[in-house]
Structure formats: C-alpha cells, structure tokens
Amino acid sequence: MRYLPHTDDDISTMLRVTGADSINDFFTVVPEELRRPSEMALPDALTEWELNDRMAALSNANTGATDFLSFMGAGSYDHHIPETVPFLAGRSEFATSYTPYQPELSQGTLQAMYEYQTLVARLTGMEIANASMYDGASALAEAILMALRITKKNTVAVSAAVHPFYRQVVRTYVEPTGCSVLELPVLESGRTDLSTLASSANCAVAALQSPNLFGCVEDLPTAARIIHDQGGLLAASFTEPVAFGLYRPPGDDGADVACGEGQSLGIPRSFGGPGVGIFCTRSRYVRSMPGRLVGKTRDRSGKRGFVLTLATREQHIRRERATSNICTNSSLCALSSAVYLASLGGSGLRRLAKLNYDKTEYLKRNLSEAGWTMPFTSPTFNEFVARVPRGDAEEVHRGLREKGILAGVPLGRWYPDLRDCLLLCVTETATREDMDRLVSEVRS
Amino acid sequence: MSERVGTQGLLFNEPLLWERGSRGRSGMSLPRADVEPAPVYEDLIGNGPDIPDLSEPEVVRHYTRLSQWNFGIDSNMYPLGSCTMKYNPKTNEKQAARSGFAGAHPLLPSELSQGALQLMAELEQYLAEITGLDAATLQPAAGAQGELTGMLIMHAWFKHHDDRRSKIIVPDTAHGTNPASAALCGYRAVPAASGPDGILETAVIDRLMDDETAGIMITNPNTLGFFEENIKAIAQTVHRHGGLVYCDGANMNALMGIVDLAAAGVDILHLNLHKTFSTPHGGGGPGSGPVLVRKKLEPFLPVPRVIPDGKGWRLSDDFPLSIGKIHAFQGNFGVMVKAYSYIRSMGADLKRASQLAVLNANYLKERLKGVLHLPYDRPCMHECVFTDALQQPHGITTLEMAKRLMDYGFHPPTVYFPLVVKGALMMEPTETESRDDIDRFVEALEAVAKEAAESPELLREAPHVCKTERLDETEAARNPRLTG
Ligand SMILES: Cc1ncc(COP(=O)(O)O)c(C=O)c1O
C-alpha cells in the first residue's frame, strides 16, 4: 500500500529494537475475548485508477447536482467560486496542519483566522467573532445557550421563519437544559410576529433569521428594542450572508449575536457540508462566547504575531465548566470564505448583492405575469415564496423536474399552510435565459 | 547525526489583508448584468461592509505567503499525540471535488442524489464493520459533536425508560471535550483515577458506579496510549447498574481489524474521520465525528437517516425516538467522501495501518527511553507519553524542548496533556512515518536533550528559525484583540 512506508526489513529492525518477536506481541494486552474472531469484511482495496472509476460512478449518480437548471436555496446556495479559493485553501501547508496549538509554526493559519474574524465581524456589523463553528445551525444553538448563561432566564423565543432544520438543531441542544422554546408565528407579510415577545419576561433570547427562510428581511430594530426591554438578547441568524452586501447588517440593527452559515462565501454545497458557522457578538460577551479565538500579540522581539487566546473558556482547560465543548471547528472553510471575501472586496460584494437582488426581482415580476402570486409582501433578498395557481406545489415541482428544472423547494413539508407554495432562489449564476426558460415552462 | 531538516528558508513579510489593496480593484470576475436594475427599499439598505479591494494576484500572493509560515504533515513528521496526524492522500481531495458531490444541493430529491446516499449508506456499513457496533450516524461535524450526540442518546434512552440519572464517570485520562460534552447534557462528571499501570481498575468503577450514574465515558486506547484491558469487566459493572458505556474512539487508529468494541461492552462510540480515516485537519476542521451504537440504541440516532428504498436509498425522518437533528443537513458530506475513498483504497490494509501505527509508537518509545523520562514503561498502542523529569535538573521544561524541536524542523508533540502526567510530551507517530523519519526525529530529540544539559539558553530562547520568536500569550489574553 503506497501510504505505508515499511519494508519487511524495516519491520524486523524495528521489532529487534523493541524486543518483540512480532507485531502481535504488542497486542497481547488485548484480552482474547475482545479480539475480532475474523478479518474485517471490507471490499478489496482499489488502485488509484479503480478508485477514480468507482467515485466517478457514484458522483455521476447524483444527477441533481449536474443535469438540472436549479433554483434551490433554503440554506444552501449556488454562487460562483473563483478558482483562487480552492487553490489557495488547498495549499497543503494550510490543509494538512492541525489546530494552531504551537503559534510559531502556525502563523499562516493564525493570521488568516484573525483576518477571517475581522472580515466576518465587519460583514455582520459586529465587534468580535470567533474562529468558526461547525455550521449555521449549531452556531444558532450555541448563541442561544450563551444567552441562557448570560441572562440566567429560562425561555427562548424562536421565530417560525427560522430555517426549520436550524430550529430542530436548537431543540436538540436546548432539550437537556429543561428550558422552554416559544415559537413566534409568521405574519401575512412574511415577517415574524413580535407581539407575544413583549409579554414574555422570562425570555433569554429572541432568535430571528434575516433574511428569513422565506427570503424576507426581518424588522430587527423593533425585535431588538422589545427583547432588550425584557433584559434578553437578540440572536440574528442568517443563511445568506451575501445579503449584507446590500441590506443593513444585523449589528447595525441591534443584534447581540449574529450567527449563521457562511457556505455562500466560496464554499461548495457538498450535499450540505462542510460549511462554516459564523459567530459574531459584542465585545462585552467575549468571555461568555463559545469557540476558539485568535488574538493579536507580539513576539519577544516586538514583532506582530497571533495566538489562540482566552483558552481558559475552553474545554481543554476548563473541562466541564467550559463555555462550549467545541474543539475542531471549520477552520479551512473559514479560510475559504476569507479568500472569497478578499477576492470579491467590499465593492465587489456590493455589486454581487445587487445583482442577486435584481435577478430575483426579475423572476418575481415574470412569474407574476405568468399567473403565480407572491403571498408575502416584505422585501426579500435572493429568495422568495411563490404560490402556484392550481393544485399542489409538489406536483408542479415534479412536473418541472421532468423538464430538467429544479423549481426550488416545496414548502408544504415544513409549513402545511403553504402546501401550494415553492421557495425559489436566484443567484448571480442564473442567467436571464435560465429564468425565461422557467417562466415559459410555467406558462405552458 | 544526519543533516538537520529544519533550516532557514526565504520567508516573506506580509501585511494584514486590509493593509493591502486599493478601492476599486477586484479579484473576482462578476457575471454581466443581464436584467434591469430593480428599485430597493432605501430604509433597509446598508453602506456595504468595509472589506478591502484586491486584485487576483494580490490575493494569491497574500495567502501564498501566509501558507509558507505554516507547518503541515506534508512538511514533515507531525507527532502530535491524540491527533493522529497521518498522511492525507491527495486522491481523496480530487474525489470530494467531483461536481456530482461538491455541486449537490442538500435538499435534492432522493432520486437525483442516489450516489451521495449510497456513499453514506456504505460508509456507515464500513464503520460498523470496523468497530463491531451495529448502526451509525454520520451527522456530527467533529469528535466533540459526536460526544454530544452520544450523550444526548444516553439522555434520551434514560428518559424513555423513565429513569433520571445525574452523573457520569469520566476517567482522569479523558480528553477535555468528554466532560464538557457530558455537562452540555446536564450530567455531572465524576472523575475516576487511573491505576499505577495507567489504566482503569475494575474496583474503582465498582465503587463509583451506582443507579444515579448514567454510565462511563472511556477513551480506548486511553490518552496515555494504553489499551484499557479491564474494559469488559468495567462495562459489566456499568451494565449491572443499568448504565451505558460510551467509548471515545478518537484513538481507533490502534485497533482497526484487531479489537471488537461491541465484545468489549461498548454501547456508543464516536470516531474522528479527520484522524483515523485520513481526512485533512485543515488547521482546525472541518472534521466529521460519526457515532456508532448497539442495536437497542439505534432508534435514538439523529435524523434524517439513510434507509433502503426499493432499489435505492432515501433520507427518512420517521424515527419517533430520535434525539432530533444535530447538523443543519446531513453532516460534513465532503469529509465523508474523503474517508470513504480512504477506506476503499486501503481495504484489508486498514488492519496493517493499525499494526504499523502501534509498531511505530513502540519503536519510538524504545528509542527515546533514557533521552526523556518514560513514566510508564510498558508496551503502548498508537502513542507514548514522556516527561521532562530528566531535563528539570537543568531547569528545562517540556515547553522549552517543544519550542527547540521546531528549529530542527519537527512539529512538537502534544504538551502538558494528559494531565495525569506532569510535564507530558505525548507522541503519536502514526503508521505513515517511515523508520528513517522516526530515526531523524529521535536524533533531533537527542540533540535537544544534549543542549538542555550543555547550553540550556538555546532552548529558553527557541524557536530561532520560525516566522516569529516566542509569542506573548499572557498579553493576548489580558487585552484580547480579536479583530483589526
Ligand atoms: C481523544 C479525543 N477525543 C475527542 C477529541 C475531540 O475531537 P474534535 O476535535 O474533532 O471535536 C479529540 C481531539 O481533539 C481527541 O483526541
């Protein structure tokens, strides 16, 4: 096997040094009854070339990834990724290193993570950020646990317009705490109904997503005012950070935590992962926040350098009293998103966001003309809900699939009231012709 | 001694990203505007984030220079104990980047994502076969999230049986994530001391286990690199009290094809694909931490699960006892593709990988005995733990030796862990290091030990050839500057 360097000669020399007769001698500590009675039943090893064939076959069986015109979003987005992103993040000095425990040998990762923290803090309008979480869902769950620790209250309010999968993850994480989860309903406009929030004094946190699952931009300033009056925090989740190239970021609207998924920033969809959980907050919560932090410092000669810092919040020092159990995070994806943002630049992000917006408005307009309706009136970013004129959205979706189009995500699975609705997404990758094709199929 | 591999190369200084660039530059090709501009809602519009504008060559130079300040496995041996820094095969990267995998939307209808679903189903089967357990979830994004998943499964199991338990036994050799994960589930960690041989003694667990205790979290091989020989008897005690046995399987690299963990009495186990199964660690992730369970716990696994469906596969949420979701979608699929490629490339050689990992660790242990102090002189599994006791008389500590090793071109071992050993240096060579490379590492440590006695100031001032000298961590923590 080409990954294993040992020759028979090496093995016998090494055994001689250890005083063992055979490698099996090292395993005599394993009691007989714990040994495997037979060899592992695994398929025979493949050569590199056979592996290529096998993997090509599996990859080609994912026809949905390659053979369709897709308008799917709902937490995973198709954006152009410049070649520089996989090329630079793939450099093996970055890719094959461990968590930067020894800073003098890891300044590359450390400076890149410091820059990532800065870029995402600026993107979300917050003061500080950690070096990443697993994904947007666990970032929201950890934000909620942080709010429970800070406020010592025992209820959390989560908008029904937060991605249903994120809400499920929140429920999983909150379950052992015994705290109750209050669901805030959705208004006709597609925004969250904040009316019950004002009367829930025990609420540690209001969790809203903006743009929300329906693509609608939430009224975060009002939510912030109400929850702050109750002594709680506002956690603003997001699945599409490109929106902050156009819309005001959550930090400017009073959010205490901005947390979400960064997959849109130069990371392929990869069937849902890996992505990167972005976690940003206010400086005053630095010692309560979960996750690794990279901080700026100096070396003995006074030169600028970077280290992992405030590790006393973390599990390897504080063990069961840690602010979180997270250890390995999503560093290389965070690096990818930093390379992406660096490539795009502030000016490019603005233009890209507007392009996403303009194209979405184009599709909305043309679908309306074709007889579809838009049930929600609030401004959106690159996603919107469309109601099909007749019948069930699943059926319409299936019909369009026959024509080679993935017409977004049917919403009935998550919202029975929206059985006749599709969630459609348009990014810069969709051309006018692509959208015209969808509209003409809808017309026919 | 052979020529030292660590040397001084040409490294470039490189400013922070926003100290470069100029407003109006662009490093990304944007699609043409092929639709009319649409009016916006002015009261919602922001100013756009303050991110520098750079050209493509500037971006490439910036990150290339940063990468040159980093040390990876491709640079040299990286014997970081407990981290299994084995070679990361290049073909795995190519496989994960195939458009059918990388381009797959997570909510694709199952008919259109059969390749991904089949890969996941097969990977689950392989991992079950390798560990001896019955069923798997691939959803957790790292080892610690696997631990949390395992703890939630325990919690759900007891709740289902109307049994409230408040404590869990965690040995002193456990990784810090273990007690932190238990605490997230509301369990109080009860420490258990390992015995004079560095392993758990049955009598200790007999004393600690009771009907209020949910079970034990045991790392096997443990963080001293020893096989927990009494695991079966310990499991029997835990089971007698109605408890469950959780095994931290992050060190599975010692055991593949050799040990049946179900026969050892393990009920729940997590693996780190980013260790044992060769996926790159990426400077701190992304990883993947699958959890395996015995049959009786299968109903509690996270949803969605991949299930057979006629001639193919589909995702199902129809498991009413499930703990729910732990990741937004199906977990870190891209990492799964790499681990799958590795398993298919290795086949039966996985067993040989474990054997050679153990041979390498024992060889390293024998060669270094006497150079460094070996607190437990007995055969080890995949890693071995030394201390600085022989260097203390010269006023030299583990940290100083670690820093000096960098000048010789090696990544230091894990230091000051496990906590049960004072001044620990924990070394895990892995099977992909050749005898020659281990020999060079030994020579480097011999030279460092000699310097510790003869010219200790060289160590106190180390490292000398890295991008920076030793960094002020106290200052960083006193006045945290996390953004620029
Ligand atoms: C023994 C052990 N358990 C658990 C973990 C946690 O794994 P992760 O970093 O993937 O969360 C690690 C590694 O950090 C480990 O070495």
Side-chain angles (χ1 to χ4, degrees), chain A residues 98 327-328, chain B residues 82 142-144 147 175 177 219 248 250 270 272 274-275:
Chain A
Y98 200 76
C327 185
T328 292
Chain B
S82 203
E147 294 168 19
H175 197 258
T177 48
T219 305
D248 179 331
H270 88 262
N272 280 13
H274 47 298
K275 296 183 178 173

Side-chain angles (χ1 to χ4, degrees), chain A residues 98-99 101 134 292 315 325-329, chain B residues 81-84 141-147 173-178 181 219-223 246 248-251 270-275 281 284-289 382-383 417 426 428:
Chain A
Y98 200 76
T99 302
Y101 291 135
Y134 304 130
R292 289 239 153 78
Q315 25 65 33
N325 70 334
I326 189 169
C327 185
T328 292
N329 48 39
Chain B
S82 203
C83 300
T84 315
Q145 208 184 26
E147 294 168 19
T173 50
H175 197 258
T177 48
N178 288 192
S181 302
T219 305
N220 200 9
N222 68 22
T223 52
Y246 183 93
D248 179 331
N251 295 336
H270 88 262
L271 296 171
N272 280 13
L273 298 187
H274 47 298
K275 296 183 178 173
H281 203 275
S288 176
H382 62 299
E383 63 194 0
F417 182 81
M426 182 199 213
E428 181 179 9

Side-chain angles (χ1 to χ4, degrees), chain B residues 149-231:
Chain B
T149 303
M151 287 298 104
L152 288 163
I153 290 171
M154 261 199 199
H155 196 259
W157 163 266
F158 286 116
K159 196 166 175 190
H160 182 64
H161 290 92
D162 256 333
D163 190 349
R164 311 249 153 217
R165 301 199 177 206
S166 56
K167 300 179 286 182
I168 188 148
I169 302 170
V170 182
D172 55 5
T173 50
H175 197 258
T177 48
N178 288 192
S181 302
L184 270 174
C185 273
Y187 289 124
R188 186 163 60 79
V190 179
S194 46
D197 283 345
I199 60 171
L200 282 173
E201 292 170 337
T202 317
V204 174
I205 307 303
D206 285 346
R207 215 164 37 244
L208 293 175
M209 186 64 202
D210 59 24
D211 296 349
E212 305 267 281
T213 304
I216 187 168
M217 289 185 98
I218 188 167
T219 305
N220 200 9
N222 68 22
T223 52
L224 287 167
F226 297 133
F227 189 79
E228 291 287 359
E229 295 168 36
N230 303 318
I231 185 167

